[in-house]
Amino acid sequence: MDLNSNKWSLTLDLSGGRIKKLSYDGVLIFGTYKRIDGKVGNTHICAPSFDKEGEERFNLPFHGYARTLIWDSEQIADNIIQIKTVTTSIKDYPAKLELVQRFTLGETFIHRVEVNHIDGLEVPVNIGVHYYWDTPKGWEGATLNSAQLSPYIKTNGYLDLNHESNIVFPHAKYVMKVDGLHSLMLWTSFKTDEIENKKYSNDFCCIEPIIKWPEYFGKPESFIKPHETVSVSVELQKVV
């Protein structure tokens, strides 16, 4: 599924609700990559949990199940598309949730994510957005608000996230504004040789805004009741 407007070009995959490609004025920002570990990766949301936090206590899959579901689409306007899916209640996570993503291609790119509690019991919710950023000149030397990112990318590290951040790669600069997201995970794929040396994917890195990480999911402040909504958003502008 494609949407083109205001120099932005967006390609979605409704299997998993994924961003296969986002570009601005012909410059690729998020892409799809053959990773060094042999897998294929692209941008997806992590909901209703992030990483391994929902596995043991709530029997949720790694990164939640949003990326494994089939999504339905609706064109809201010439430059806005919305996709939705509904989860199934399970014994250890007894809630039915509606997941919504809205993409707006205006002067900036806006990605809004909502989790609506439709039915069931009170449950914890976390949301992460696992963006695969294109780095055609590599990510060594990349910065976030002047802080070097490569040590965090190499160690799957995390940072506190400001409302507005300047992201600088060797090939491009961006301004990212977030609402409802307070932490940032960084990563790229790697493989380890026989003497435990790591070799990393260099053509992309993952900069992943999250509501909060770590030690948030499952705490009282992470729970939502039936008919409540949690929403977050990311606004991205390429610095020309």
Side-chain angles (χ1 to χ4, degrees):
M1 169 165 289
D2 297 317
L3 184 67
N4 300 283
S5 185
N6 297 304
K7 299 185 180 180
W8 295 97
S9 179
L10 174 68
T11 301
L12 300 177
D13 185 351
L14 296 179
S15 178
R18 296 168 176 266
I19 298 176
K20 294 180 69 175
K21 182 182 73 173
L22 175 72
S23 62
Y24 179 76
D25 201 18
V27 176
L28 185 64
I29 301 173
F30 305 144
T32 296
Y33 304 91
K34 177 70 178 293
R35 300 176 355 185
I36 200 170
D37 60 8
K39 299 178 181 180
V40 175
N42 51 29
T43 295
H44 60 84
I45 68 167
C46 305
S49 57
F50 183 81
D51 201 81
K52 298 178 181 179
E53 63 187 1
E55 291 182 344
E56 184 173 346
R57 180 178 169 189
F58 298 96
N59 199 28
L60 293 171
F62 184 78
H63 277 332
Y65 34 45
R67 63 179 182 161
T68 67
L69 300 175
I70 301 299
W71 296 64
D72 297 317
S73 65
E74 178 184 6
Q75 184 115 10
I76 305 298
D78 289 344
N79 66 325
I80 302 173
I81 195 165
Q82 182 168 280
I83 62 176
K84 296 181 180 181
T85 193
V86 176
T87 70
T88 300
S89 176
I90 60 175
K91 178 182 177 182
D92 295 321
Y93 193 82
K96 185 178 180 181
L97 306 175
E98 180 188 55
L99 310 179
V100 183
Q101 298 184 68
R102 178 176 287 208
F103 306 92
T104 302
L105 309 184
E107 293 185 4
T108 60
F109 168 73
I110 301 175
H111 185 190
R112 179 179 172 86
V113 181
E114 291 183 0
V115 176
N116 302 312
H117 193 316
I118 298 173
D119 188 39
L121 302 182
E122 187 178 19
V123 290
V125 169
N126 201 358
I127 300 171
V129 192
H130 201 300
Y131 290 123
Y132 276 69
W133 294 75
D134 192 59
T135 56
K137 295 185 178 180
W139 40 260
E140 290 282 359
T143 61
L144 176 84
N145 298 332
S146 301
Q148 290 289 326
L149 292 183
S150 57
Y152 297 94
I153 294 171
K154 292 177 179 178
T155 59
N156 200 21
Y158 61 91
L159 296 165
D160 292 334
L161 181 59
N162 298 329
H163 168 66
E164 182 172 333
S165 298
N166 295 302
I167 300 173
V168 179
F169 293 111
H171 76 289
K173 300 178 181 179
Y174 303 96
V175 176
M176 183 175 71
K177 297 179 182 179
V178 300
D179 284 308
L181 299 158
H182 307 284
S183 302
L184 195 68
M185 178 77 80
L186 299 109
W187 179 81
T188 194
S189 64
F190 63 89
K191 64 179 181 180
T192 305
D193 64 20
E194 62 276 3
I195 56 174
E196 300 301 314
N197 291 320
K198 287 184 177 179
K199 186 175 182 181
Y200 299 92
S201 293
N202 199 46
D203 55 343
F204 75 90
C205 69
C206 295
I207 300 177
E208 311 163 37
I210 316 158
I211 289 180
K212 285 186 182 178
W213 178 266
E215 299 179 356
Y216 170 71
F217 186 82
K219 288 190 172 182
E221 59 267 32
S222 71
F223 279 75
I224 66 170
K225 298 176 181 179
H227 312 299
E228 290 185 338
T229 295
V230 178
S231 63
V232 301
S233 67
V234 177
E235 182 177 5
L236 188 64
Q237 180 177 13
K238 186 178 185 298
V239 178
V240 179

